[in-house]
Amino acid sequence: SDKSQNRKSKKKPVTACLLTAAFFSALGSSFLYGYNLSVVNAPAVYIKAFYNKTWTERYGQPIGTETATLLWSVTVSIFSIGGLLGAWSASLIIGILGRKGTLLVNNSFAIVAALLLSLGETAKSFEMLIIGRLVMGVDSGIALSALPMYLGEISPRHIRGSIGQLNSILICLGVFVGQVLGMPELLGQESRWNFLFAFLAVPALLQLCVLPFLPESPRYLLIEKRDDAGAKKAFQRFLGKKDVTCELEDVLKEGQALGNQSTVTVLQLLKSRNVRWQLITIVITMVCYQLCGLNAIWYYTHRIFKAAGFSDSIIPYITLSTGAVETLAAIASGIVIERTGRKILLIFGFSSMAVFFGLLTVFLNFQDSTPWIPYLSYVCILAVIASFCSGPGGIPFILTSELFEQSYRRPAFMIAGTVNWLSNFALGLLFPFIQEGLQSNAFLFFLVICVLGSIYLFMILPETKNKTFMEISQNFIKLNNISASNSQHLKLTVYEG
């Protein structure tokens, strides 16, 4: 029966092959994304000085304040433009090269970016830095589509969430490593900031050394490439057992239900009634992921720490505590996700963020009344970060791979990626204005978004832990207003049309 099968699947050990594939695929992709989020903060002063020096040498006069600000904000924000380009091209590349192939080829972007960013100063070209950030954005855009897809497809369903959380854990670890290496004692110095960027090549090269020897996603091999032997071998290595007929049959069943078409286009996905609510759910979750205010917290930390009376010399060390809390919370989430499920962690994360945003707003308004209030603000900041990483920090990517069956998955990641990077870009543009308008009440904007997100997820999202991709699709049938018999027929009409 189903239950005894479930019990059996629980006892299976996780193979070294699966862990190695998951860790190294994430190291070369999501780790680099996280690292790039934080790495640009420490050397900002030196990079601006380099821009000014280069400008003066070139044009014989110092750079204007406005031009300097513009150049710097382009340097920072062009990363999300690159991410958008990456998310758009990912679907195509993944179709041609597969999940693993895409991750491998993607390393070339990271290595090119490392060269551009670390040699820009020597070449006296700030354009190289800007192009380097763009290329690194493309790398991250591709990585955040290909990686969750690969992780979701190689892991057995009883640990799919935990393996999927490696994406989030390594993003947080990347942020933390970026903060550590940016310390003044290490590479955050005028003479050494180039090495901060040269480091980008290290995880990429490590992945290039290990990943070629590990299998491709068996679902991709079976459903899209129709390579039965390859899929069987991949399953055997990932699961560490000879007999994988059960797994192969599951995937084949899904393949048959999907008809002959291996992939739907983005337009077909948008039109399809079969996946209407899955799509709405992913879009809303991704918007909340970006607009729940975590990026704004980073923006404020320095100011709040200063107000708390921490001197400038120790602020970098206190900032480290934020990166450390982030990483620990993500690891904790990866450990409990298969017990609690995705839905509870997401709702818990967003609602606790809302609570702490409320408290933070109160404390910010009374910041100057007593000397110990800023310390409470600091605790609230850590609590917001921990709440984010406990669920919202990684689960949106896991859900994108879980809510869609094979043929819809690539276009779904393209749409999710587009929403993700556009929201990121929009927040970067709008936040300074929100902040100016609302001052210390700016966090109320994010509080509202977190509350709305929690309500939507509570009402609509089904739990997806330990279910096959087919079962998850079945959960949406009622919502999408399709009768079960009709759902098979509809699938076929989508394909024939």
Side-chain angles (χ1 to χ4, degrees):
S1 77
D2 240 13
K3 275 203 171 124
S4 64
Q5 249 184 337
N6 269 353
R7 226 169 282 134
K8 274 188 204 148
S9 73
K10 284 267 189 305
K11 288 189 180 132
K12 277 186 228 131
V14 183
T15 60
C17 176
L18 181 64
L19 281 179
T20 315
F23 178 76
F24 280 96
S25 58
L27 183 69
S29 35
S30 57
F31 175 84
L32 283 179
Y33 167 68
Y35 182 78
N36 274 290
L37 290 181
S38 68
V39 75
V40 81
N41 300 334
V45 192
Y46 310 125
I47 297 175
K48 288 176 184 167
F50 156 66
Y51 281 9
N52 189 20
K53 188 177 153 215
T54 313
W55 189 275
T56 314
E57 281 172 11
R58 247 190 240 176
Y59 304 107
Q61 62 195 51
I63 193 169
T65 330
E66 279 180 3
T67 321
T69 313
L70 180 71
L71 271 181
W72 178 247
S73 52
V74 166
T75 308
V76 173
S77 61
I78 202 161
F79 182 64
S80 16
I81 304 279
L84 196 56
L85 295 174
W88 283 344
S89 53
S91 178
L92 191 75
I93 304 173
I94 293 169
I96 300 167
L97 301 175
R99 281 66 170 141
K100 178 181 116 175
T102 303
L103 289 169
L104 287 171
V105 167
N106 199 22
N107 289 315
S108 56
F109 288 110
I111 291 165
V112 168
L115 290 169
L116 285 168
L117 288 160
S118 54
L119 298 175
E121 191 184 30
T122 323
K124 298 191 169 160
S125 155
F126 51 75
E127 292 85 352
M128 277 171 74
L129 285 180
I130 293 173
I131 296 167
R133 283 283 289 178
L134 177 72
V135 173
M136 202 54 234
V138 173
D139 174 272
S140 300
I142 294 172
L144 289 185
S145 294
L147 177 71
M149 218 180 284
Y150 183 62
L151 294 180
E153 290 180 11
I154 65 174
S155 24
R157 65 181 178 190
H158 65 286
I159 51 164
R160 199 171 53 213
S162 299
I163 297 283
Q165 272 302 65
L166 267 171
N167 174 33
S168 164
I169 292 170
L170 278 155
I171 291 176
C172 298
L173 196 62
V175 169
F176 184 55
V177 170
Q179 289 171 340
V180 172
L181 292 181
M183 300 302 269
E185 294 79 2
L186 296 171
L187 302 177
Q189 299 180 6
E190 182 124 39
S191 57
R192 296 188 197 151
W193 63 265
N194 295 321
F195 295 109
L196 273 176
F197 292 120
F199 177 76
L200 289 173
V202 176
L205 290 169
L206 279 172
Q207 194 195 71
L208 279 174
C209 293
V210 177
L211 203 56
F213 303 104
L214 296 160
E216 171 60 274
S217 148
R219 312 181 71 83
Y220 163 78
L221 291 172
L222 196 58
I223 297 182
E224 293 184 34
K225 280 277 170 270
R226 312 202 186 259
D227 171 7
D228 298 18
K232 185 176 170 183
K233 226 193 244 148
F235 265 133
Q236 285 171 335
R237 286 188 63 193
F238 280 136
L239 303 174
K241 55 180 192 179
K242 277 275 172 284
D243 177 27
V244 289
T245 34
C246 252
E247 283 77 10
L248 287 169
E249 272 167 19
D250 271 353
V251 178
L252 277 171
K253 247 184 254 161
E254 186 186 324
Q256 280 155 2
L258 293 172
N260 294 328
Q261 181 152 349
S262 57
T263 299
V264 177
T265 63
V266 171
L267 209 61
Q268 283 170 320
L269 174 66
L270 290 169
K271 284 183 187 163
S272 167
R273 284 224 342 250
N274 270 11
V275 288
R276 174 110 355 123
W277 280 98
Q278 287 94 310
L279 196 60
I280 295 171
T281 304
I282 289 301
V283 168
I284 288 178
T285 315
M286 275 299 178
V287 169
C288 293
Y289 167 75
Q290 281 296 350
L291 301 189
C292 66
L294 192 81
N295 306 4
I297 283 275
W298 298 127
Y299 182 94
Y300 264 93
T301 39
H302 200 274
R303 216 187 77 191
I304 291 173
F305 296 165
K306 248 189 142 121
F310 298 119
S311 69
D312 269 346
S313 55
I314 58 168
I315 285 182
Y317 302 96
I318 293 172
T319 311
L320 276 188
S321 65
T322 58
V325 162
E326 210 184 3
T327 311
L328 292 171
I331 292 172
S333 165
I335 293 170
V336 303
I337 188 169
E338 294 303 347
R339 284 195 206 102
T340 56
R342 293 43 160 162
K343 182 170 181 163
I344 291 176
L345 280 181
L346 264 182
I347 295 171
F348 165 78
F350 281 130
S351 28
S352 353
M353 282 180 86
V355 170
F356 291 116
F357 276 140
L359 290 171
L360 186 56
T361 305
V362 174
F363 297 149
L364 285 176
N365 280 314
F366 293 106
Q367 184 97 335
D368 307 327
S369 55
T370 34
W372 48 266
I373 288 250
Y375 291 96
L376 290 178
S377 302
Y378 171 54
V379 172
C380 276
I381 283 185
L382 289 183
V384 166
I385 291 169
S387 309
F388 175 78
C389 289
S390 68
I395 295 176
F397 296 101
I398 296 176
L399 283 181
T400 311
S401 81
E402 288 188 333
L403 296 190
F404 296 93
E405 290 171 80
Q406 195 80 13
S407 60
Y408 291 112
R409 203 169 288 132
R410 268 170 34 209
F413 265 101
M414 184 165 165
I415 292 169
T418 306
V419 171
N420 182 16
W421 292 98
L422 277 179
S423 317
N424 182 326
F425 188 63
L427 185 71
L429 287 180
L430 297 177
F431 184 67
F433 298 107
I434 295 173
Q435 203 239 318
E436 228 163 76
L438 297 174
Q439 298 298 215
S440 54
N441 297 327
F443 287 119
L444 294 177
F445 169 78
F446 301 116
L447 186 151
V448 172
I449 290 200
C450 289
V451 170
L452 292 176
S454 303
I455 294 170
Y456 175 85
L457 292 165
F458 177 71
M459 311 265 294
I460 302 290
L461 184 70
E463 183 45 68
T464 60
K465 71 167 180 190
N466 210 0
K467 288 183 183 166
T468 64
F469 294 126
M470 296 278 288
E471 288 163 355
I472 295 167
S473 290
Q474 296 298 314
N475 283 346
F476 276 96
I477 282 184
K478 219 184 282 151
L479 264 180
N480 286 327
N481 211 347
I482 318 167
S483 64
S485 62
N486 194 14
S487 83
Q488 294 301 331
H489 168 69
L490 242 176
K491 279 179 177 159
L492 294 173
T493 49
V494 168
Y495 296 112
E496 285 159 6

